[in-house]
Amino acid sequence: MEGSESVAAPREEAASCSSWGSGSTSKNFTIMSAESVEIDDALYSRQRYVLGDTAMQKMAKSHVFLSGMGGLGLEIAKNLVLAGIKALTIHDTEKCQAWDLGTNFFLCEDDVINMKNRAEAVLQHIAELNPYVHVTSSSVPFNETTDLSFLDQYQCVVLTEMKLPLQKKINDFCHSHCPPIKANPGIVTCLENHPHKLETGQFLTFREINGMTGLNGSTQQITVVSPFSFSICDTTELEPYLHGGIAVQVKTPKMFYFEPLERQIKHPKCLIADFSKPEVPLQIHTAMLALDQFQENYSRKPNIGCQQDSEELLKLATSISETLEEKPDINVDIVRWLSWTARGFLSPLAAAVGGVASQEVLKAVTGKFSPLCQWLYLEAADIVESLDRPECEEFLPRGDRYDALRACIGNTLCQKLQNLNIFLVGCGAIGCEMLKNFALLGVGTSKEKGMVTVTDPDLIEKSNLNRQFLFRPYHIQKPKSYTAADATLKINPQLKIDAHLNKVCPATETIYNDEFYTKQDIIITALDNVEARRYVDSRCLANLRPLLDSGTMGTKGHTEVIVPHLTESYNSHRDPPEEEIPFCTLKSFPAAIEHTIQWARDKFESSFSHKPSLFNKFWQTYPSAEDVLQKMQNGHSLEGCFQVIKLLSRRPRNWSQCVELARLKFEKYFNHKALQLLHCFPLDTRLKDGSLFWQSPKRPPSPIKFDLNEPLHLSFLQNAAKLYATVYCIPFTEEGLSADALQNILAEVKIEEFKPSNKVVQTDETARKPEHVPVSSEDERNAVFQLEKAISSNEATKSDLQMAVLSFEKDDDSNGHIDFITAASNLRAKMYSIEPADRFKTKRIAGKIIPAIATSTAAVSGLVALEMIKVAGGYPFEAYKNCFLNLAIPILVFTETTEVRKTEIRNGISFTIWDRWTIHGKEDFTLLDFINAVKEKYGIEPTMVVQGVKMLYVPVMPGHAKRLKLTMHKLVKPSTEKKYVDLTVSFAPDTDGDEDLPGPPVRYYFSHDSD
C-alpha cells in the first residue's frame, strides 16, 4: 500500500526556496526560467490539449515542495517536472542504500557506494527531464520544532515517507494559510441521432436561435430529460421558437472545502475504487493508522514475517478503530499482510499512486479539474492473497536490489519475473514507463532465461519529451526503441533487452512468427490505435499468449487483462465506429468548425499528396508524353490520364504562377462556391413540406471578396502558393512571400467573373463521395488538345512529368501544412458564419492529435505492471482486474475481467475462443479426408469449411461437391514455408431452417511432422 499527502499552500509569486534554517544543504542547477518564455508548443502540445493555456500559464508560475525521494516521491517528481511547473524543491534526509536500487530508477550503484543523499543523487536526473523547470534539493532534517514559515513560498506541499505527527503539523500550517481551492422549463431537443451527452446541473449558453432570441447569449442550467433532450428555464414569456440554435457547455467554477488532516483521520472521506469491496478503504485506513502508531511506538516498521509484530499491529488497529467515527470492522488479512510487507516496496503501485498524486498537485496549482476529496487508497492485496501459505524465508532480504520487492511478493515470484520473456509492442509514453517498471521489477534479468523484446518503428520527436521520460533533447530523431533500451539499462544493467525497429503487422509475420510468439510469456501493448491492438490480439489468440493492453487519452486511461482460457480477448468486444461527416456536409453544407477543418485537410491531401502521387504513378507507367498522346489518339483508355493531363497543362513554371494559382483557388473556394450554392438554392428556397431549405443545421454561405490586407486572406495566399511551389519543385524566397511582392504579382492576375454552372449539388446525407467522375467525349478531346499543346511548347519534358508528394506533418511549424489548413478552414468558416478556430485547435483536429499527459500514463503503466505480476504467477481468474480511470474527476474503477464465453455445439461438445482443434494431414489428403478426420477425432461432422473469407466447401454452392475429392494442398494453395492453415468449420443445425452451428478454429497441418 502506498500513500502520499498533497496539501495546498498560499498562492504567492515568490522565488523558489531551496534552503532554510542552519545546517541545511542545497544544490541548484541553472536552468531556463519558465517566466522568460511562452508555452513551448513543440514540447507541450499534447499536454496543452489536456490542460488548456490558462492552466499551463498558472503551472509555469508555480513552486512545489516535495519531501521524500523514495520510489513514490521520485515518481511524483518525474511527473511534475515533465508537466512543466516553474520550480520544484526535492527534500530527503536519507542516504542511498542497495535497497533503493529496486525502487528508485534514477539511482545507480555508485550512489550507494558513496552513500549519497537521495535527493542530491537524483537532482540532476530530475532536472534533465525538462529544461524549463528549476529543480533544487534540500537535506535539512524535519522535526517538531522546525519553523515551517519557509513553506509560504510554495503553492503546494507534497509529503511522502513522513511520520504522521509531522504530517499533521504541516497540514495545519498549510490549511491555516490556504483558501479553499477553486476548480474549475423549456425543452431543448438535439438534432436527430445526436445525443447531447450532458448531465443535470450543468450550464449551457445559447446562440443563433431563430425566434425565442431572448435565449441567445444567456446561460442556463439544464435538467436532462432524455439522451436527446433537456429542459431549461421557463420560456413561456419569450417569443415563439422558429428554428436553429447552438448550445455550448459552460464550465463554471466550483468551491471545494477540505477538512484538516486531524479531523479527516477520525472521519475520512474515501474514494472507492473497487465497488465489489466498498468497505476496504476504511479498513486500509485503520490499518495504515495502526502502522503509523507502530512506528511511533517502536521507531521501526514491523519485521518481515514476524508473528509477534503482526499481533501487535492487530491490537493497535483494533484500538484505533474504536476512536474512528465509523468504527470499522478490522480486516485481519489486511492487517497481517500489511505487517508482513510493510518494509517492502512495490514499484508499480508507487507508479500508480504517483500518477494520481501528481495530477492532484497540478490541480492545486492551476485550479483545473476537480480535486480528490479527500482520501484514496490503492491496494494490490490480490498479489499476496493468492500466494499459498508462504514461508517467512521467501520474503527475507538477500542483500540485492530486489529486497524491497521480495519483501512484498516473495522470492519465488521474483524469480518468475526474472525468467520472463516479454514482448513490448510500442515504445512511446506507456512503453517508456513499462520499461522502467521492468527494470525495477527485474523482468528478464535471469542469467539462464528471460528477455525483454521491444519494437517501435518511430523516431523521437520533441513533443515526445513531455511524457516519454527516457528521452532527452539530444535524442531527437533517434530511434525510440534503441534509445529507450539504452536508458533502461542505466536503471538496471542486469536487464536483457532486444530492441527492434519493426512495425507489428502482417508484413512482419516472418519476424514475429508463431515460433516467436510461442517463446513469449506475456505480450504487452503500448499502442495508440485500435487496428494495431486488434492485430496483436489476434496473434496472441492464435498462439495462446496472455496480452496486457492499456491506453490513455488526456486524463483518462484504461487497462485490460487477457489470459488464455480465462478471459475474453480484445477482439471479443468492439466499440461503435466513429461517426463520419456526411459527404454533402463537407462539400456544401458545413455546420461546425470540425467540418471546415476536415474540408481543408481533405483539400491539402488532394492537392499536395493524392494528385502528385497519381501524377507520378501515371508517368512511371507511361514513360513519355508522346507515347500517351499516341495511345489516346488510337482510342486507348488510360486510367487517370485526364486528371494527369489537366495537372500538366496547368503546371506553374515560376513563383509568380504559383501565387496566381493560389489566388485562383481562393476565388474558386470562397467566392464562386458560395455564389453557385446560392444560385442552386436561393435564400427563399423551400422544401416540399414548406419549410425553409436554409435552416439549421444548413447555413447559407456568403461569398468572400479577396483583400490582401486581410491577414486570413494573406495567410491562405502565402501558404497555398508555398505548397504549390513545393510540389512543383519551384524555388521561392522569403522576400517573395512578402505582402508587397505578392501585391505586385496579383496586379497582373486576371480573375474571371462567376458564371453559374448546371452542376447538381448533392443534398443526400447518406450519399458517399463518388469513386470516379464520368468523362465526356468533350473532356477527351480537350485532354488530347492540352497534351498536344504541352508537347509542342516543350512543356512535357522528363522533369515536367514529376511532382513532389507531400506527407502531412503537423509538428513542423515551418512547412506551412497547418498554416494552410488553418487559413482555408477559417475562410470557409467565415463564408458560412461559423465560429473560427485558432491554429492550436485546428492542429489538434486536423492532426487527430490524442491529448496526453504524463500523470495518467504513469498511473496506467503501474496498474499494467501489477497485472503482469499476477500473470507471471499463474493466478486464478478472480485475481485479475481491469481498470478505467479519469484523473480529472477523479475516478478509478476496478472491475473483474470478462470471463471467457463457452459455446455449446451439441451432445456436450463445446468450445471457447481459446480452443483450437488440430488435424494433421499429408500430401494426398483430400477435403473429404479432412471432414472425416474432424468427425473421427471430435465426434461431429463439419458441413461447411471456410478459409478466411474464402469458402472452401459449402454443400449448397454449385460445384462444391466436386471439391471433396480435391487435395487440401490444391484447395488452400499454401506458400512453401507455410506449415499449416487455420480454417473455420460449422455444423448442421438441430432443426432444418436454423442457422448452422459455429465451431472453433481448426488448424490443419500439411504433414504429420509439423506442429
Side-chain angles (χ1 to χ4, degrees), residues 505-523:
C505 61
T508 56
E509 281 188 14
T510 53
I511 301 167
Y512 308 115
N513 52 24
D514 293 338
E515 184 180 359
F516 173 84
Y517 276 95
T518 305
K519 288 179 180 177
Q520 307 306 314
D521 296 301
I522 304 172
I523 286 81

Side-chain angles (χ1 to χ4, degrees), residues 202-213:
Q202 292 178 331
F203 291 85
L204 301 179
T205 183
F206 293 88
R207 57 184 167 87
E208 299 184 28
I209 296 174
N210 290 279
M212 209 173 280
T213 54

Side-chain angles (χ1 to χ4, degrees), residues 629 633 645 781 783-793:
L629 179 61
Q633 289 171 336
I645 292 169
R781 288 193 297 273
V784 170
F785 172 74
Q786 288 170 353
L787 188 54
E788 285 177 334
K789 184 179 177 184
I791 293 171
S792 64
S793 304

Side-chain angles (χ1 to χ4, degrees), residues 648-649 651-655 657-658 730 790 794-797 800:
L648 180 65
S649 67
R651 182 182 186 115
R653 304 286 158 178
N654 52 49
W655 171 244
Q657 290 180 2
C658 291
I730 294 170
N794 198 30
E795 292 182 346
T797 63
D800 292 322

Side-chain angles (χ1 to χ4, degrees), residues 939-960:
I940 188 166
E941 181 179 350
T943 54
M944 188 184 299
V945 183
V946 178
Q947 178 193 359
V949 295
K950 178 183 176 184
M951 291 183 288
L952 297 183
Y953 177 64
V954 182
V956 296
M957 296 287 285
H960 276 218

Side-chain angles (χ1 to χ4, degrees), residues 147-167:
D147 180 5
L148 298 181
S149 60
F150 73 92
L151 291 177
D152 282 340
Q153 302 169 85
Y154 299 97
Q155 281 72 56
C156 189
V157 177
V158 188
L159 307 178
T160 71
E161 303 184 6
M162 186 163 285
K163 292 179 180 179
L164 187 57
L166 278 174
Q167 288 185 41

